[in-house]
Structure formats: structure tokens, C-alpha cells
């Protein structure tokens, strides 16, 4: 019994093929692979008796043999023999469907042709020029005639992946070396030169295209590269500019809508300092930056690739957990398994971490041996786990440096100075760049009241940040803070203010997050002015108001709000409630013991 | 590269073995199975060249052959040949570890011995008596001497599962038929008779026991049976008595702590009308009621079974999604695949639904062909999807009736009358037995204000309930409501009251959920009395107070609160905010067009 009885053949049998088969087995699909190894990662997990084909995904005879056995051909790598795929599509009388379309694979295979295609369809990309010949002169003239000068990226048009085939040319002096180096890998595919995108973050979006042309996108994620190989992925992307998430999905969706054929596409992009998004490159297949979808999304990229090529209903792409990250397990310098195994074993001890090993035999440097996906209730907890894992990487390796700097870079996306201000260090358990709750106040004179909120959040183990944001004196800072909060992963804002007390209401007007208002008692009117300013909001913009000077209760309310679906916090609240009860009972006991008259004098 | 290089052998190669292997492949574990079929569900997903053993899990030679190939033996079914397992454990010089321990399997295999063991350890079970011989007289005398009369359950001590080997004896007249019927299946294992537990719900808890005796439990779930076969599982169990969840876990944990050996154990229990929990039976292996853990928990039961028997760190058992359900895909009367496939194909169209097909060839009645797990942001949405699937079952089958009555039964767990009261039908999108938000008010005179909250929740697509709960006139109802809200899946409570307005604060004192208070304006004091009564809460018990008569804003605030991690709702809030903006802009336009003087007169 199977969801679909048509047979699927995959060109390539590495980890992507393995995960495609694992997804397919849940629907009991019949999938065979073409690979030059009987014990490749994909073949290990499938017992199709004699169904697999032994050979290269570039060998015409082997591809045709596979085509003869199946109804649908698909790929786990784009560097396949497209001529033969086109021949299969043309000559096998429509009996064998090839997904994605060979013409799409052909366009994408040649990275400059891909760029031309995207530019033609007005998708934003970095300016690129093909070299007329593989010479330093051709490079220099291309740069001076078409680009704005060095540094530039010299790239091989074909057979390039994981940074292979790229050369960063810092100055004209390096032109000769760059061309000679790449000429070897580029072969007859040729070279092109590209303006260096001064990106502040790398973004990826997995896009699914159905046979009928329906296009759906997964959330945009942040990818971190180490020596040009994807190293860590954070999902979803958190940026202070909330529009980045939807704009990145739009760029990716628009780009994939210009191609024909069905399947999953990995779209890699650059986020520039000015907020602009440029498409970097496309992979016509499941992608490393989409591994996280297995545990974090309603439907994995592998499941959706199979649904797409079988013309089954596409699955929901939304995340089902609040936050996730993926850490690649890459072979290290020493070539032994120990470095990788250390991370995998550590992952077994981390709540929410899922180990994926690919069953590869040799562990040479940079080889993708597996990955770990971490899911969690907050960005902070997931980042903590990622840090625990990457801390095990050899310190002299360039890698951990890259990872840390990427993490540091994320915090640069925050509104200035939010991350620096922090009080009450002793109770703060926080990665301040990814708080669940943000505590702000109109003036540092409110700190005496608002510190109660911070202390309570710290005591109950909720990551928070605390700073000053004034509605009247720093209106721009307030707007930036309010607009970016949701995208930064904040789930609840606590705002305290006195007197005219506009801060909570103004923030509530600029975010969909719940805002708790704390009326701070001023020198006159006993705080009733603040209370009425905060609580009497007009229809449409609610503020959750607590008692005058109720900083502690505001912290507790914030915990109640973020605790939904976080049993740990609900338990912490129960414990707190019991402690309150016990405090009262202790007083009762004492009063009964000593009598109320003496109690009063104590 | 593997997390652990020791080889594991499984006795049995059905769907449980298949899912064990799938979990093991993520750690690249080497697992082989003993099964009488070369294409059993488990063998299909593993390409261990020649590693599997062909034979019965009861055949001594086959078991010994498997033991000779592996380091650890485990089981996916308890009806294995324990004598041989004990022999392996004893004779193979400690080289082969058997998990769970053969002595534990032996105790559990004989259901009366299992009961004796549990009674000895003071685990609550239904009263049971073994029959001295397989005769009606023996049954009648056991009932009259030891039990409180008919009806009773007559059970075979051995080889019983999925209801096989159970006979409900309604009266003394049925004694002869019951004994004769069961005598055939019971063989020399014998019979025992058990007092009928008048349960209101069936509960299951998966428990993991490590080699060292560490015991951890998954959340308690509700199981629904159809003709004695598990049909639907809801996770977590929602009961109006919040203590059921923790008490069920305690019973299960205490029970498993009394056994030796490592692995996962499925513990099935009865919840009685008086709140008592009785242990029904234990399976010493992964269990149907734990399938949901694959998608819904931080670590699946299969992953944890492997970790347990390998003495690796046990994984976190918490749910990572708010709510989940599992629907078994059972073969139907007609023996064709169509009935099952209809559900599986439908599941592809439901967000959060995951199809699992087991690769079984024949589809006879009652056979477990696969299952569907649905995960979702609320109990209501998950129940909707389960209803959509079970609606496809043949209507004349007894099955759907059983399922529906079980759902109806869940709603009987609610505080009386909560579920009946509902207003504003037109905008309500709700399964009132599983609301995300509960709107209550002290008196029906508050309805004019509080209907604004209901209307807003309905408009933005949040499941809610609405009723009257008076702090002063129905204090017990209020306490029952407040104490049960969290366990019923409610995430936020909106409470409105006027005058002395105690309702929001009193509810907040009896639940860890966020409570929004709406001060309702009375006939005097302009509502300031209500406002101060609600907002000026003491330290420790916060109420999120909105403006006087702010019913609409209370509804909006509730949406903001439950929207965390629900992008659908955050988007709905954004849309609402834009509409508010547009309303104001329309007025601005009009005023500019006609001039303020004329505008004023309009």
C-alpha cells in the first residue's frame, strides 16, 4: 500500500538522496538511486531488491538504465548530464517524467546563464560579466568596463559548489593567479566576474514548485558559512527590519516562478547593509539550508520535493516550533571521526537536539558527515545549544571564529544600545540578543519599579532585556524598537512610564505583540495620572495594565503570557504560587502561635 | 561513523521494528531483525547486506542465530520465547545483552502474573482472580468469592493483545460461553477474571527506563479504542482535573520502576469517574499510543528505546508542539486498500498531518496498515483534522460511532454548562470543547460589553467559549472553571465584572494562565470602582487590565497573547491594524475634501 505507485529514480545517492528516501518511506514510495557505490548513504536505507543502479549520474548508459526502471527521474545534485536527461524526456515518449525540468537544470548549472535568466526577469542580483577568454586581461577589462573596481568575485560558470570555483580577487595584481587557479576547475565552462556584495547576512529560502506551477516558500533562514561551506542555519531569520523576512520570501518565490518544472529549490541570497536583498544562487533540489525543515516545519523539504514531483498536494511550509537551528557536522583537519563524534554525542545530551548521521565511511576535511538540528521554545535557548556544540570545534580552526563572528553579527541587527543595557546581572539568565521579553521604561527614574519585572523574569528563568526607551524624548528609538521587536523573537513587551505615560500605548500601536503597561507613581496625583494614561486606550490598541508601581506583577504577567506551550514555565509559576501560599501560611501559623496582639508588636 | 558501533537485533519485524530502524538510521546504528518474511515492514527500510535473519521470533534456533550476530537483543513484541532469551543471557557469557530483561518480559507476558507483581508493589489495579481451572464453575465461584458481581472481564493470561483474549461477561448465564470461547486462545496459559473498571477515559504513558534504572515519562495521552484496538490518541490528555496528568505519569513511572532492564514501556491505564487511576496493562516495548512522539516530542519513543538499551543519555520527553493526535489506519471490512488510502490521501491536504505507511502487503480487517499524526497549535485545530479523517470511515462501521462518542465523552470532562453557552454564532469559529480563549463575566448584564471580546475573537479566527461565572454567586463554579482551564487547553482567560469586580483577580489566583480583566461600568462611580478593583492586585497575582468597558480591546489583547508562535494570528492582527489605519485615513480624506466645518455637520 503506497500513496503513489509510480517509481522514482534519483540521480545521486548522497545524504540528500538518503533523506529523500527516508521521507518517501513514510508514504511507502518506491525509490531507487543511481550511484557509483553499493553502500552510499541513500542505498543503505532502502532494501529495494536489486532496484538500485550502480554507476555515475553523468554516465549516459547508467542514466538510461535508471530511466528504464522508473516513471519519474529527479536529482539530488545539479551537476548531472542534462543532455541525457533531455534525451530521456524527448525519446521515452512521455513515459518518464524528469523533475525538475532538464531545461531548468541546464539554466541553473551554468551560473552565469542563471544570472542572465534572473536579470532578464528583473530579480535583483549582483552585477556580473562573463569573461570573453580565460585570461587576466579579460578579467581586468571586464572589471574596468562593467564593474566598480576591485575587490571582485571571479567564478567558474560550471561545476561550482560549496565555494569550489570561486576566487576572491582583492586587486588587479591577483588577476593572473585567480584566472590560472580557476581555469583548472572551470574547464570549458568558462569564467565570469561578479561585483562583491557587501552583505551583512546570508539568507536562504526553500521554495517548492508543483507540476502545475503552484509556488510556496518556507520561512527565510540565516545561513552562516565556514570556508564557503554552510556551517550553521538559524530558522527563522531574525532581523531588526521585520520586512526582511517577507521580502526574502518574495524574491525567492518570484525567482522560482520564472522556471519550469516541479520540485524543491534552494534559493541563497545576500542581505546588504541598506536592507536590499540580492539573489546569490539557486540549487534545483533539496538544500543543506533546508535540513531544519525535517523537525521544525509542518512538512519537510524532502516530503515536499516528493509531493511536488508526484503532483500530490503540497504540504504546509510553516514552522511548528518557535525556533530552530542546524549545525553541519563537517570532517575536520585530522581526518578522524573523533571531532565529529564529539559533537554528535554532545547533541544527545541537549534537549531538542536531533542527530543525523549520513553513514559515510571516510571522514576527510570539509566532508558533510551529518548534521544536528536543534529546536526550542526561544531563539536564546537554541543559540545556547548551538554555542555548546560549536564550542567543541578545534579552537585553532578558522571555523569557530567564523561562527562566533556570525553570532556577533546577528546582534548588530538589533536597535543600537538595546543589547548593551542590562541590570540585575545576578538574576539575569539571558542571551540578551534573543530575549523572550523586553522590559523598557520611559526614564531611568522608573528603574526602581521596573527592576521588579526584571528580577521576576530572571528568577523564573525567562530570557529578557531591559533598557530605557522614551516616547517623548527618543520617539525614533521607540518606533525602531517597537517595529523590530516581533522579528527579533520578542514575545511580550513590558513598558513602564509615569505621568502622561504614553510609552506603553505608543509601543502597542506599533507592534502586534502583547504590551504590558506599568503605571509608575510620580510626585503628584498618586500615580492615578499614569494609570489612566495607560489603561484607557482607544478601541483597537489594547494595553495590559497592572497596578500602580506593579513592576513585579508585570514580570509575572509576562511569564504567564510566554508560558503557553512551555511546560517548564508553567511549572515554575506553580512553584512560585505555592511559595506565596506558604509565606501566608507561615504568617498564619506564627499569628496563631504568638497571638495577634504579640504578632502586631513583632 | 556511528553513535554506537554495537549491533542490535530485534525480535520481530513489523511496524514497530520499522520505526526503530528509522530512528536508528539517524544515529547510523547497525540494526538487524528476525522475522519470517524477507519483505517485512522493518526489513524494507534497511539494506544490511544479509544481516537480517529469516525465521520466527519464537524459534530457538533463529533467536540463537540472531544472538550470534549482534551485541544487544531487543523485542518489538512481548510474545517471544523467553526461555531462549534467558538461555542467551545466561550462556553467551555476558557477551549479548537482552533489553528489556527476559525476567521482565516473562512477568509481563502472563497478564495475571503482571497484575500480581503490580499489586505486590502497591500499584493501583482492578481486582483480579486467577481461575483454578477453565470452567464456568471456577469463574462463578471466583466472582462470588472475590469480586463484587457481574459484569466482569474474563481474560486469557497469555498471548493476549488488541482485545484478543478478553471476554466481557455480562451475567452468570454467559459464563459457559465465555470460558469455552477463551479456552481456545488461552491454551495452557490459563484464565483470570477481573473486576470491570467503570472508566471514563483510557490513558497511556510511555515510560523509558535506562540500564542504570533512570526512569523518565512522556506526557499522559488519551487513547480511544475501536473494537479493542487503539484507534485515536490525543496528546496531551486534557482533563478538567489538572492533577490527572501528573498522577497518571506518577502511576506509570512507579510501575516501571519496579521492573529491571532497559527500554521503553507502554503503560495503559483507566481513569475512573471518581478521578482514581488504575493501571490496566504494560507493554515492554514501544507502543501504538506513543507513535505521536515522532513528530510531537523532543525525542521519539523509538529514539529513546535505542538510547535506553545502548545506555546513551536519555532524550527529553517533552512535547515540542502544543497539541497532537494520532489516527490509526486500520484495514476495513472489505479488505481492500481503498478505505485506508482515502484517509492517507486526505491527510496530505491537512496542515500539520504526517502520513506513516508501514509497507504491509495484505489489508485485512483490523490490520494496522499505517497511522497519521496531526500536530497543531491548539486542541481545537487538531480535533478538527481528526474529525475530517474519521468522517471518511464507513458510516455503518461501528468504528466511527465509537470515535465520535469518545469525542463527546471528552466534552463531558468540562465544567457543567461551559460548553452549552455560546453567543454570536455568526462570528464564532469554534469547537467549544477546546477553546484557546475563555471569555467569562460576572453577570449576563455584562454581556453588552463582553460580547465585544467574543466578536473580536471570532472575527480573527480564535476558538473561544463565552459564559457567565460569578465570583460571588457561584464561587464553586468559578474555582472549578479556573482550576481546569489550563488542562482543558485554554491559553488565556478574559474576565469582565462591574462594581466590586472580584472575578478577574480571583480567577488569576487559581490559574497560571494570563487573565485579562475588563472593568464594566456600573450605575454609579463611572466604572472607576471596577477599574480599581481589577487593576490594583497585590504582588504575586497580576491581572492584565484594559479600559473601562474595553471588551473589544480585551478580545484583541487575548489574540495578541495567544498569537505567539502562530503566524496566522499575527498576520490577522496586522490586517486588522491596517484596517484601523485605513478607517482613519478615510476620515482624513473626507475631512480634507469637504472641509472641517461641513464634516462637523455630517
Amino acid at each position: 500500500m503506497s500513496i503513489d505507485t509510480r517509481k522514482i529514480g534519483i540521480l545521486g545517492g548522497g545524504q540528500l538522496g538518503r533523506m529523500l528516501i527516508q521521507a518517501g518511506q513514510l508514504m511507502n514510495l518506491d525509490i531507487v538511486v543511481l550511484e557509483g557505490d553499493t553502500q552510499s548513504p541513500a542505498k543503505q536505507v532502502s532494501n529495494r531488491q536489486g532496484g538500485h543502479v550502480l554507476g555515475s549520474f553523468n554516465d549516459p548508459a547508467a542514466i538510461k538504465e535508471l530511466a528504464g526502471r522508473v516513471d519519474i527521474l529527479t536529482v539530488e545534485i545539479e551537476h548531472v548530464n542534462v543532455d541525457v536527461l533531455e534525451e530521456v524526456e524527448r525519446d521515452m515518449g512521455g513515459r518518464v517524467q524528469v523533475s525538475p525540468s532538464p531545461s531548468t537544470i541546464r539554466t541553473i548549472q551554468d551560473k552565469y546563464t542563471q544570472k542572465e535568466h534572473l536579470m532578464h526577469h528583473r530579480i535583483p542580483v549582483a552585477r556580473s560579466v562573463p569573461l570573453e577568454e580565460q585570461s587576466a586581461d579579460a578579467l581586468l577589462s571586464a572589471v574596468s568596463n562593467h564593474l566598480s573596481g576591485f575587490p571582485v568575485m571571479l567564478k567558474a560558470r560550471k561545476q561550482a559548489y560549496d565555494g569550489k570555483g570561486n576566487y576572491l580577487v582583492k586587486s588587479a595584481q591577483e588577476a593572473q593567479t585567480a584566472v590560472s587557479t580557476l581555469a583548472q576547475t572551470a574547464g570549458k565552462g568558462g569564467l565570469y566576474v561578479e561585483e562583491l556584495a557587501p552583505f551583512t547576512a546570508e539568507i536562504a529560502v526553500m521554495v517548492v514548485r508543483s507540476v502545475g506551477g503552484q509556488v510556496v516558500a518556507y520561512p527565510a533562514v540565516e545561513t552562516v558559512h565556514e570556508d564557503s561551506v554552510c556551517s550553521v542555519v538559524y530558522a527563522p531569520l531574525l532581523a531588526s527590519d521585520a520586512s526582511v523576512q517577507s521580502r526574502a520570501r518574495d524574491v525567492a518565490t518570484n525567482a522560482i516562478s520564472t522556471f519550469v518544472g516541479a520540485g524543491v529549490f534552494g534559493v541563497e541570497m545576500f542581505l546588504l547593509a541598506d536592507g536590499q536583498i540580492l539573489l546569490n544562487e539557486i540549487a534545483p533540489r533539496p538544500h543543506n539550508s533546508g535540513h531544519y525543515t525535517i523537525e521544525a516545519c509542518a512538512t519537510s523539504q524532502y516530503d515536499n520535493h516528493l509531493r511536488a514531483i508526484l503532483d500530490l498536494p503540497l504540504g504546509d511550509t510553516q514552522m511548528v516550533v518557535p525556533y530552530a537551528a542546524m549545525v553541519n557536522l563537517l570532517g575536520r583537519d585530522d581526518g578522524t571521526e573523533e571531532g565529529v563524534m564529539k559533537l554528535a554525542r554532545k547533541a544527545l545530551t541537549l534537549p531538542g537536539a536531533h542527530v543525523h548521521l549520513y553513514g559515510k565511511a571516510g571522514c576527510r576535511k570539509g566532508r558533510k558527515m551529518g548534521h544536528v538540528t536543534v529546536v526550542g521554545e526561544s531563539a536564546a535557548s537554541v543559540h545556547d545549544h548551538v554555542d555548546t556544540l560549536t564550542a567543541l570545534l578545534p579552537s585553532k580552526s578558522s571555523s569557530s571564529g567564523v561562527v562566533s563572528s556570525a553570532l556577533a553579527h546577528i546582534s548588530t541587527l538589533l536597535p543600537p544600545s538595546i543589547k548593551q543595557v542590562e541590570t540585575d546581572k545576578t538574576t539575569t539568565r539571558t542571551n540578551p540578543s534573543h530575549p523572550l521579553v523586553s522590559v523598557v521604561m520611559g526614564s531611568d527614574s522608573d528603574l526602581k519599579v521596573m527592576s521588579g519585572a526584571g528580577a521576576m523574569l530572571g528568577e523564573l528563568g525567562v530570557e529578557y532585556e531591559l533598557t530605557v526607551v522614551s516616547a517623548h524624548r527618543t520617539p525614533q528609538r521607540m518606533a525602531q524598537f517597537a517595529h523590530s521587536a516581533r522579528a527579533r523573537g520578542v514575545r511580550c513587551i513590558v513598558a513602564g512610564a509615569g505621568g502622561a505615560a504614553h510609552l506603553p500605548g505608543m509601543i502597542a500601536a506599533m507592534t502586534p505583540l502583547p504590551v504590558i503597561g506599568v503605571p509608575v507613581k510620580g510626585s503628584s496625583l498618586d500615580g492615578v495620572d499614569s494609570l489612566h494614561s495607560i489603561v484607557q486606550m482607544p478601541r483597537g490598541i489594547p494595553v495590559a495594565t497592572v497596578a500602580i508601581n506593579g513592576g513585579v506583577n508585570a514580570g509575572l504577567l509576562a511569564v504567564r503570557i510566554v508560558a503557553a506551550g512551555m511546560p517548564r514555565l508553567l511549572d515554575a509559576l506553580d512553584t512560585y504560587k505555592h511559595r506565596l501560599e506558604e509565606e501566608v501560611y507561615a504568617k498564619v501559623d506564627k499569628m496563631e502561635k504568638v497571638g495577634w496582639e504579640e504578632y502586631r508588636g513583632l
Side-chain angles (χ1 to χ4, degrees), chain A:
Chain A
M1 182 175 309
S2 165
I3 282 285
D4 199 305
T5 54
R6 285 174 292 171
K7 281 201 183 183
I8 298 170
I10 308 176
L11 277 71
Q15 67 270 18
L16 299 177
R18 182 180 174 105
M19 289 184 269
L20 276 171
I21 289 179
Q22 286 168 333
Q25 281 168 347
L26 298 179
M27 299 188 269
N28 202 32
L29 299 178
D30 197 352
I31 304 178
V32 294
V33 306
L34 164 59
E35 235 276 344
D37 180 352
T38 56
Q39 279 296 303
S40 75
K43 289 182 182 175
Q44 285 171 28
V45 299
S46 158
N47 197 16
R48 297 292 164 198
Q49 297 171 325
H52 300 304
V53 179
L54 203 64
S56 160
F57 48 72
N58 269 311
D59 173 18
I63 296 176
K64 286 177 191 167
E65 189 186 340
L66 182 69
R69 296 188 188 185
V70 302
D71 302 295
I72 299 170
L73 279 185
T74 190
V75 303
E76 62 136 37
I77 182 164
E78 57 274 31
H79 304 299
V80 292
N81 188 327
V82 188
D83 296 335
V84 179
L85 288 181
E86 283 179 342
E87 202 183 317
V88 164
E89 205 179 34
R90 190 179 61 234
D91 296 350
M92 296 189 77
R95 198 192 63 71
V96 177
Q97 169 201 323
V98 184
S99 288
S101 161
S103 68
T104 294
I105 300 176
R106 185 182 290 286
T107 303
I108 287 175
Q109 260 183 355
D110 181 327
K111 287 164 77 176
Y112 184 71
T113 309
Q114 185 191 136
K115 280 248 154 58
E116 275 189 318
H117 172 93
L118 294 170
M119 286 187 277
H120 174 75
H121 288 93
R122 305 188 174 283
I123 307 295
V125 294
R127 206 183 307 167
S128 304
V129 190
L131 294 203
E132 291 184 3
E133 51 169 47
Q134 295 186 11
S135 72
D137 283 348
L139 171 57
L140 293 172
S141 92
V143 172
S144 63
N145 293 335
H146 301 285
L147 305 184
S148 52
F150 290 95
V152 295
M153 280 301 271
L154 185 64
K155 294 187 170 184
R157 293 174 65 146
K158 292 192 176 179
Q159 299 291 335
Y161 66 98
D162 283 353
K164 293 185 186 67
N166 286 3
Y167 199 109
L168 172 62
V169 195
K170 299 197 195 83
S171 66
Q173 286 73 48
E174 293 180 10
Q176 187 55 55
T177 319
V179 170
S180 315
T181 307
L182 282 196
Q184 292 164 16
T185 47
K188 54 187 176 169
L191 301 174
Y192 74 104
V193 60
E194 190 177 295
E195 201 132 74
L196 199 65
F199 62 84
T200 59
E202 290 186 83
I203 302 175
V205 171
M206 300 305 307
V207 177
V208 198
R209 191 180 194 286
S210 74
V211 171
Q214 183 197 355
V215 177
V216 297
Y218 281 90
V221 300
E222 173 164 15
T223 60
V224 179
H225 288 77
E226 167 190 339
D227 302 337
S228 299
V229 178
C230 176
S231 160
V232 185
V233 169
Y234 297 99
L237 165 80
L238 300 182
S240 60
D241 174 0
S243 75
V244 172
Q245 176 64 234
S246 59
R247 287 192 291 117
R249 288 167 67 135
D250 287 347
V251 169
T253 305
N254 292 342
I256 298 310
S257 300
T258 67
F259 291 100
V260 295
V264 152
F265 295 78
V267 181
E268 296 186 279
M269 289 163 279
F270 296 128
L271 175 63
L272 308 190
D274 63 1
Q276 205 191 148
I277 293 169
L278 298 181
L279 196 151
N280 178 23
E281 61 183 61
I282 296 172
R285 52 166 173 82
H287 191 258
N288 200 160
S289 63
H291 290 349
Y292 80 96
T293 60
I294 296 176
E295 287 89 5
C297 294
T299 317
S300 79
Q301 65 167 344
Y302 301 100
D303 189 349
N304 255 336
H305 183 74
L306 295 169
R307 290 174 184 230
I309 66 176
L310 288 167
D311 208 12
L312 294 170
L314 298 185
D316 185 17
T317 54
Q318 285 196 59
M319 289 180 74
V320 292
V321 294
Y323 202 74
M326 193 268 337
V327 178
N328 265 344
L329 299 178
L330 300 172
R332 297 288 149 187
D333 288 340
D334 61 2
T336 69
E337 297 185 349
E338 207 29 57
V340 171
M341 288 310 301
K342 237 180 1 190
L343 269 74
R345 282 198 211 97
K346 186 72 186 176
L348 292 181
T349 69
L350 302 176
H354 297 256
V355 173
H356 294 251
L357 294 178
Y358 304 147
K360 294 183 182 178
C363 184
R364 60 173 187 272
K365 187 187 175 192
R367 194 172 192 206
K368 292 171 179 170
M369 304 302 291
H371 72 268
V372 174
T373 298
V374 183
V375 303
E377 60 197 23
S378 68
S381 65
V382 169
H383 277 252
D384 277 356
H385 289 343
V386 170
D387 291 349
T388 302
L389 292 175
T390 53
L392 298 175
L393 297 176
S395 57
K396 64 191 176 113
S397 150
S398 66
S399 55
S400 67
V402 173
V403 174
S404 322
S405 73
L407 290 178
H409 135 72
I410 288 176
S411 69
T412 64
L413 297 176
L414 301 178
S417 91
I418 288 285
K419 62 184 181 298
Q420 288 94 349
V421 185
E422 222 184 321
T423 57
D424 206 8
K425 283 273 182 206
T426 49
T427 55
T428 309
R429 171 187 163 276
T430 175
N431 175 341
S433 59
H434 300 92
L436 278 174
V437 176
S438 190
V439 180
V440 295
M441 62 208 80
S443 153
D444 61 356
S445 63
D446 304 326
L447 188 55
K448 204 178 157 198
V449 168
M450 300 308 291
S451 62
M456 192 48 69
L457 288 161
E459 188 181 333
L460 295 181
V462 176
E463 299 86 358
Y464 72 96
E465 63 185 6
L466 189 152
T467 189
V468 173
V469 173
S470 168
H472 303 130
R473 282 157 295 191
T474 62
Q476 273 194 307
R477 174 171 159 79
M478 177 187 66
Q480 190 188 18
F481 166 79
H483 284 305
S484 69
R486 174 189 169 185
R488 288 197 296 124
V490 171
R491 293 221 204 128
C492 178
I493 296 170
V494 179
H502 293 177
L503 184 68
M506 285 310 300
I507 290 174
M510 291 185 276
T511 178
L513 299 176
V515 177
I516 299 171
V518 185
V520 176
K521 193 163 156 174
S523 50
S524 50
L525 296 173
D526 250 4
V528 175
D529 48 346
S530 322
L531 171 61
H532 290 179
S533 291
I534 292 173
V535 78
Q536 289 296 111
M537 287 293 291
R539 183 181 61 86
I541 316 288
V543 169
T545 311
V546 294
I548 295 165
N549 281 0
V552 170
N553 269 4
L556 277 168
L557 182 56
V559 178
R560 289 190 183 216
I561 287 173
V562 299
M566 294 163 74
R568 162 179 85 76
L569 284 184
L570 286 168
D571 293 344
L573 281 168
D574 273 338
T575 309
Y576 175 81
K577 249 179 71 189
H578 283 132
R579 222 182 52 219
L580 284 187
E581 264 185 347
E582 278 163 19
E583 278 174 27
V584 176
Y585 279 120
K587 290 179 183 173
V588 170
D589 285 348
K590 193 165 195 177
M591 200 182 289
E592 289 187 354
K593 210 164 156 189
V594 304
W596 67 265
E597 299 87 347
E598 192 182 330
Y599 186 93
R600 198 179 166 199
L602 284 175

